[in-house]
Amino acid sequence: METLDLGHHAALLLAAAASTLVLSLVVAFRAPIARKTGLLDDASKKAHAAHEGRVPLVGGVAWLAGAYTFVATLVILAALSGTLDLYAYWPAFAFLLLVGMFFILGCVDDVVHLSPRLRLAMSVAFVGGLLLAAGQHFTLQGVRDPFLGVEVSFGILSGAATILAVVVLVNALNMADGRNGIVAGLTIIWLIALASKTSDIYLTAAPVSYTHLR
């Protein structure tokens, strides 16, 4: 069987096209998806809501479906080209699994309204599991601000600091969610800031592959 040899740009374009298609399908069928899953937002229960009636809560579904399709397409192309190394990319897969687990937790909470203590315990368990699986790639070893000249190393508390940072971030985003544009705007700003400071988080194809997050 011949292997598929695609260049960098062709692989990314195919992945982007597949991702856009899946995302568009989720958006197009948002109403039946929301009804089947129970992911509906009742505006009458929110004082700050500007919309009326029950609105489908499928924005996260669309985003995650698109993101997973993008990665899955690259993985399939890499497998066909014979360049796929699952062990090398395990940290990236572990991170995507963590994102999916938080997403499922959020969906379940939207439908059945879990207790805050249970959500917190599950969040800590999720991040702790990620650190056990690929901690060397994701553990927050310290913080540094060259502008202020501040540098703090967490040492043996790195794991606890990482769990705290992720859980606090997730809950902060959850509290801000519902206000149009806030979470999306903040995320774009953070991504731009991260992209300007590191070369580790990016997609590449050689001929078809992507680097793991470090």
Side-chain angles (χ1 to χ4, degrees):
M1 178 179 176
E2 296 183 358
T3 58
L4 180 63
D5 187 10
L6 291 175
H8 173 90
H9 296 295
L12 294 180
L13 284 174
L14 282 173
S19 176
T20 301
L21 174 62
V22 171
L23 189 152
S24 300
L25 288 173
V26 173
V27 173
F29 294 96
R30 59 190 180 277
I33 292 175
R35 287 195 299 269
K36 291 288 186 180
T37 59
L39 294 174
L40 291 165
D41 182 26
D42 190 349
S44 64
K45 297 180 180 180
K46 296 183 177 180
H48 65 270
H51 55 272
E52 297 180 355
R54 305 184 74 188
V55 178
L57 291 173
V58 297
V61 176
W63 179 88
L64 200 66
Y68 274 28
T69 300
F70 187 90
V71 174
T73 303
L74 288 182
V75 170
I76 293 171
L77 293 176
L80 293 175
S81 68
T83 62
L84 179 62
D85 184 351
L86 292 176
Y87 180 79
Y89 302 134
W90 163 243
F93 295 142
F95 177 75
L96 290 173
L97 178 61
L98 174 72
V99 173
M101 293 171 70
F102 268 111
F103 170 75
I104 294 173
L105 176 62
C107 289
V108 173
D109 182 48
D110 283 337
V111 176
V112 301
H113 304 295
L114 302 173
S115 71
R117 290 183 179 180
L118 180 58
R119 291 200 309 270
L120 177 61
M122 295 183 70
S123 297
V124 171
F126 291 165
V127 183
L130 173 68
L131 296 184
L132 290 175
Q136 69 273 23
H137 296 277
F138 297 102
T139 303
L140 185 62
Q141 302 290 343
V143 293
R144 179 170 62 92
D145 190 329
F147 180 76
L148 298 177
V150 176
E151 184 171 357
V152 178
S153 177
F154 296 134
I156 61 174
L157 298 177
S158 296
T162 304
I163 292 175
L164 178 64
V166 175
V167 172
V168 168
L169 174 63
V170 170
N171 281 274
L173 288 175
N174 190 48
M175 292 174 64
D177 194 21
R179 303 280 183 171
N180 292 343
I182 291 183
V183 173
L186 288 174
T187 302
I188 291 173
I189 293 172
W190 292 337
L191 289 175
I192 292 174
L194 287 173
S196 68
K197 296 295 183 180
T198 181
S199 60
D200 284 336
I201 304 177
Y202 65 96
L203 294 172
T204 184
V208 182
S209 64
Y210 61 94
T211 61
H212 58 269
L213 303 180
R214 298 176 183 174

